[in-house]
Amino acid sequence: MSSTEPSGSVPAADFRVALGKFAAGITIMSTSQDGVAHAMTANAFTSVSLDPPLVLVCVDKGVRMHAAVLDCGYWAVSVLSAAQQPIADRFARSGRDLYSQFDGIGTTAGPKTGCVVVDGALSWLECRTWATYDGGDHTIVVGEVLSLGNGESTADGALVYYSRGYRELPGDRA
């Protein structure tokens, strides 16, 4: 095989470093299972379609959120501001107590699904699962947007992940 042909196997550490050069917004995805709110930090989130309005998020098959979002079929995404980094940190940790994980965090039930939306987020969307696809160790969950909202301040910077760390993308300063 020549050195220009793909080998089909890339070392995980190299893959992470390469993708770490792509800045990604930070969101909190939430859903409900048996009346209990579940949430996780997600940076694998993007728009898919304008008509119909579709977005996607990738959920690790090895976390409890995976079964919860697939069982419920409804979920919400809150796009975090730079000031909300502690929230991103909290929901990125595995093994949190399920029943107290939202303690001290302002939240609102989404108007269409009841899924948790983080107060003060730059924007939020409520979704109904449209389709799911196998994505290796993740499931790609595509959702139809049922409702959405935008934060009141446009001056707040966005929280992004770049080169192995959180960064702030400045907001509108006009």
Side-chain angles (χ1 to χ4, degrees):
M1 174 170 26
S2 79
S3 62
T4 59
E5 291 181 20
S7 68
S9 179
V10 174
D14 293 346
F15 186 67
R16 283 186 176 156
V17 169
L19 292 181
K21 303 301 181 191
F22 180 75
I26 302 298
T27 67
I28 299 297
M29 179 191 195
S30 67
T31 193
S32 182
Q33 184 179 43
D34 300 326
V36 178
H38 289 253
M40 68 174 211
T41 300
N43 67 347
F45 168 78
T46 192
S47 62
V48 175
S49 168
L50 288 174
D51 187 19
L54 301 175
V55 295
L56 72 75
V57 65
C58 298
V59 181
D60 186 327
K61 292 177 181 176
V63 300
R64 65 184 174 205
M65 179 69 166
H66 187 263
V69 75
L70 294 182
D71 287 350
C72 181
Y74 293 96
W75 40 282
V77 173
S78 300
V79 178
L80 299 185
S81 73
Q84 293 175 312
Q85 180 179 334
I87 297 171
D89 287 337
R90 178 184 293 191
F91 290 103
R93 285 192 309 270
S94 298
R96 302 177 301 285
D97 178 67
L98 192 58
Y99 301 98
S100 65
Q101 65 182 333
F102 286 100
D103 288 0
I105 297 174
T107 62
T108 302
K112 297 275 187 181
T113 68
C115 293
V116 171
V117 173
V118 176
D119 293 346
L122 297 175
S123 64
W124 56 268
L125 306 98
E126 288 184 286
C127 302
R128 172 179 41 230
T129 299
W130 174 274
T132 60
Y133 303 95
D134 181 52
D137 58 3
H138 283 63
T139 295
I140 302 162
V141 183
V142 178
E144 177 184 19
V145 178
L146 303 175
S147 72
L148 53 80
N150 292 298
E152 294 179 18
S153 173
T154 60
D156 293 336
L159 183 62
V160 297
Y161 193 82
Y162 174 75
S163 193
R164 299 183 181 179
Y166 291 118
R167 308 281 192 255
E168 178 178 353
L169 183 64
D172 298 337
R173 304 284 183 213

